Amino acid sequence: MYKIMTPGPTQVSENVRMARSRICTNPDLDVEFVEFYKKTCELISSLLYTKNETLILDGEGILGLEAACATLTEPGDKVLVLDNGIYGKGFADFVSLYGGIPIVYHDDYENTLDVSKLEEFLAENHDFKYATVVHCDTPSGVKNDISQICPLLKKYNILTLVDSVSAMFGEEVRVDDYQIDILCGGSQKAVSAPPGLTFVVVSDDAKKAFHNRKTPVASFYANLNIFDGYYESKWFPYTMPISDIYGLAQALENIKADKDMIKRHEKIGNATRKALVDAGLKLHLKSGFCNTVTVFDVPDNATADQILEGMKSGGIMLAGSFDFLAGKVIRIGHMGANCNVEDMRETLALLGKVLNNLGVPLKGNLEELFLENI
């Protein structure tokens, strides 16, 4: 077994694993489970500082993103796709799939999205039904400032759809303050539950758009409208994955009890980046560093595969990337249960040994540099 220090899935705490082993009832018929589901949804909303309704869907994070696009998009709708990362650009595929017209706004892939330039663009171009933005684009680790971007979009009456699967609970997310209409999260990142669930937080403005459609949603499963009235009728649109939801609820209780979670992510994120730079490695990004993942360029004298295999030989799993970043970067996940000093210390100690064995010159000991900065 490996210690997984990847940017999702993450390690899962023992109490979450035990919660998943609870005796199952019939989630279609047991009213107590409907209450449990609703209570869990309300806990998510409270942790994200909103009164908006949350829905838990049976599928990993991609389902939430597709369902949001499917339920919002009608044929011919113009949708602004904010693109400064692989996942950001990927939203265009969902928009097109459901008949929308994606207008892709490109920005630098090595920097956080420039809000002032976006504002200049929107002053002349704002005829969009909604806009998509990725909070943390995990393949590169770039973080975008949704606290500025979403209010700017709403200024022009553009609905906001945010993918925060890889950022929330490692970075601050305040749904109401940021004016987010649809926020998508997932179980396997900083939440630190096993993969398999996504949750979607939906504003009243988004619900109005859902219900004012002129055409039916071109999906059943990827359709948020099918949850309308589930609580009043005590009837889910499909059988809920009860064990997964038991585990998710415990993971959320862990987050609720962890008052220093955001500060710890910031502290460990900063210390990790500083250690890598001080040792002579090159961070992939120039700005927009997310505190849930650190991404560095593969150094000379080594390949991504050699580094990843060397780490696995020592019992720790890191991640490469994909698309145009395949083979070019290494990603270290320090989110959720992964975000602690001991695991990061062990990870950087092994990474230093692997790089030394590959002949990569380092200016210092990665473990020691990390501890100096923590």
Side-chain angles (χ1 to χ4, degrees), residues 144-346:
N144 293 313
D145 189 351
I146 57 174
S147 72
Q148 293 188 50
I149 294 169
C150 292
L152 174 60
L153 292 163
K154 289 291 281 186
K155 174 183 172 182
Y156 291 98
N157 297 314
I158 301 169
L159 294 170
T160 60
L161 167 51
V162 175
D163 168 4
S164 188
V165 172
S166 299
M168 65 168 62
F169 304 123
E171 295 282 353
E172 192 87 73
V173 179
R174 293 178 173 267
V175 171
D176 290 350
D177 290 347
Y178 301 172
Q179 300 180 53
I180 300 171
D181 287 302
I182 303 181
L183 178 74
C184 298
S187 58
Q188 78 273 28
K189 303 286 187 174
V191 175
S192 295
L197 295 178
T198 185
F199 45 89
V200 184
V201 188
V202 186
S203 74
D204 289 341
D205 284 349
K207 288 182 179 180
K208 288 176 185 175
F210 293 170
H211 297 146
N212 289 336
R213 295 176 59 101
K214 296 180 178 64
T215 59
V217 178
S219 175
F220 176 81
Y221 209 67
N223 177 359
L224 298 176
N225 282 335
I226 61 175
F227 282 85
D228 284 356
Y230 84 87
Y231 181 69
E232 291 75 13
S233 63
K234 304 295 186 287
W235 187 258
F236 293 110
Y238 49 76
T239 301
M240 286 289 114
I242 183 170
S243 296
D244 289 344
I245 293 172
Y246 283 154
L248 175 65
Q250 182 58 61
L252 294 166
E253 290 292 345
N254 292 348
I255 292 170
K256 182 180 178 180
D258 189 352
K259 304 303 182 185
D260 295 322
M261 190 166 183
I262 299 296
K263 290 181 180 178
R264 185 173 67 257
H265 278 78
E266 181 179 12
K267 188 175 183 180
I268 286 180
N270 286 336
T272 302
R273 292 188 291 270
K274 185 86 164 49
L276 293 176
V277 170
D278 289 350
L281 296 170
K282 182 180 179 297
L283 298 178
H284 180 67
L285 297 173
K286 297 173 183 174
S287 69
F289 302 103
C290 188
N291 289 323
T292 58
V293 55
T294 292
V295 184
F296 67 93
D297 290 342
V298 174
D300 295 336
N301 303 336
T303 67
D305 285 344
Q306 287 174 327
I307 296 170
L308 296 175
E309 287 303 317
M311 293 297 294
K312 284 198 290 186
S313 295
I316 296 177
M317 185 179 290
L318 300 183
S321 197
F322 49 92
D323 202 282
F324 71 91
L325 289 176
K328 296 181 179 179
V329 300
I330 299 294
R331 298 183 294 158
I332 306 171
H334 37 78
M335 57 174 68
N338 291 17
C339 188
N340 65 82
V341 172
E342 192 53 42
D343 282 340
M344 282 305 304
R345 174 181 182 170
E346 183 181 343

